[in-house]
Amino acid sequence: MRVAALWATPMRFWPGLALAEWAGILITSPVFPVFDDLVPAIGGTLVPWLIYAVVVREVRQYAARSDGDASTHALSYAVVAGLVGAAANGLFLVGLRWLDDETVTHPVQLFLTFAFGDYAGIMTLVPLVVMALDKRDPVPKRTRRMRYALALLPSLGVGLTLVPGLGIPTIYNWVFVTVPLTVIGATRGRRAAVAALALVSCCFLAVAHGAFAAWPAEEIQRIFAVAATGALLLGTRRDAMLAQRIDLSRSIEELQYKTQALRDAATRLSAQREAESRRVGLELHDEIGQDMTALATRLRLAERLATTDGMRAELELLRGMVAEAHGHLRNVIRRLHPIALERFGLERALAAGPLAEIAADAGVAYTCAIRGDVAPLPLDIATGVYRISQEAVTNGVRHGCGGEIHVQLDLQDTGAGRELQLSISDAQGAIDVPAQPDSLGLQGIRDRANALGATYHFSASSGRPRHWMRLVLAPVTPHAGRVDGFDAGNDASGTGRGFPFPPIEAPRRPAGWPLD
């Protein structure tokens, strides 16, 4: 009762607790005399409370300074306080007994008797008080009922040892209590262990008062103290691990939410960049391209009207320079605005589109193999795959590819979803990557892969493959009026992705996530 009261009461009320306890001892001392001399009697009245008060105060202060959930570990700290207090009080009582009666023959046995007696009493009340103070119990009611049903097992074990017909040897009595208590604490937590201990203490109380004679009193104290300590510590550790797992799950959920939010932001930025590139490409085509075409036409007419051979040669030279500049402009427009992708789809754009032309102009053998139906891919994914392939082929042509580039695109159904794999190989072998990877366009490729939520790998040691990307897509949802191609205007969902893929939902906020 002393440790339970100290643990549950604020320190400002401790003087009142001390006065109440000392007054009770003084009132009952004529009825239950313990010491013969006055000095041991006064010491036995005042000092034990002070010992437990000091121990409880130090343990509570240590618990307040330690990391972790204080409510989860409160029971462990209370057990430690009871154990240390019982040991210190046992030493003090042995000393008092020696002062009161100088014929103490077995001090160690006397110390263990005092310590186990106090500690067994502490384990009877303190866990109940600690659990009463901790009102949090996130376990569902059904699980809670199962927990308290299992708490009956140790009491049933005590009952089995008391059945005369079974003939269980007394030396094995502890097995029927310790093992169930330990299992309950390790598997069901500290609350189930406390409930089981309360029931077992009631059984032991009946045994100690002579209702049964199968359990010696000292054996009761010893078994109960050891079993209670193990069950409560295991139960506390199990609950602490469960709380850590819950916190870890919440952290993972928050991290997933943030990752999805960042991915969505990257997707939006990539879409905006693509839209801006298309707009710039169209403006270059419609304005500067037309102007250069008109200029070339005017130069051709002027060349025909030239009166001298020198003037005609200069005009022909200017017309060739304009044609060359027009070709450069077409290449820029082709990079800014993938017309082949929109007109013919991803498969033809990769196999026989501008990528093949870029490689052919550089004298590079270009091959492309596509497996699976890539026609219904969403526009953003198809654009991302095309842009990554375009950047990789351009890098290979510019920095060296061993005269060979092969693009492999596979779309397979894995049951849980669809998996898209892109690999781009060359015959260059090992290459030296500059200190600034962006000089090879790798950062742009990584950014596009991250925006798609894909896994990307670049190999500098081998070109088989040089670039590798893997993307897991959502399962195909059948829809009437399936639309192939990439016309976002045909998407009735308004997501700009096209059938048959379902619209992407906004990321779900984790439980307890603060509002923006």
Side-chain angles (χ1 to χ4, degrees), residues 335-347:
R335 290 181 61 84
L336 291 174
H337 187 192
I339 300 176
L341 176 65
E342 293 186 352
R343 290 183 179 178
F344 307 111
L346 179 61
E347 184 171 356

Side-chain angles (χ1 to χ4, degrees), residues 143-198:
T143 306
R144 204 177 303 170
R145 289 193 295 266
M146 177 63 68
R147 170 209 296 165
Y148 293 128
L150 292 175
L152 295 171
L153 292 179
S155 301
L156 296 177
V158 176
L160 287 176
T161 63
L162 302 176
V163 177
L166 295 180
I168 299 176
T170 306
I171 193 175
Y172 297 114
N173 285 343
W174 63 274
V175 176
F176 293 89
V177 178
T178 304
V179 173
L181 279 176
T182 304
V183 172
I184 289 174
T187 59
R188 295 297 172 177
R190 65 190 192 280
R191 293 183 181 274
V194 169
L197 284 174

Side-chain angles (χ1 to χ4, degrees), residues 44-60:
T45 302
L46 302 179
V47 177
W49 189 93
L50 296 175
I51 291 175
Y52 279 105
V54 171
V55 172
V56 171
R57 184 194 65 181
E58 294 299 324
V59 172
R60 285 175 56 172

Side-chain angles (χ1 to χ4, degrees), residues 267 341 346 376-388 411 420 451-452 469 471-474 486 497 501 504:
T267 301
L341 176 65
L346 179 61
L377 283 175
L379 178 59
D380 57 348
I381 295 178
T383 303
V385 171
Y386 179 80
R387 290 297 195 186
I388 291 173
L411 181 62
L420 180 69
L452 295 176
M469 186 187 76
L471 175 63
V472 177
L473 306 173
F486 308 98
R497 289 178 173 267
F501 290 85
I504 294 180

Side-chain angles (χ1 to χ4, degrees), residues 469-490:
M469 186 187 76
R470 174 178 175 271
L471 175 63
V472 177
L473 306 173
V476 174
T477 302
H479 193 282
R482 165 176 165 172
V483 179
D484 293 334
F486 308 98
D487 187 1
N490 292 334

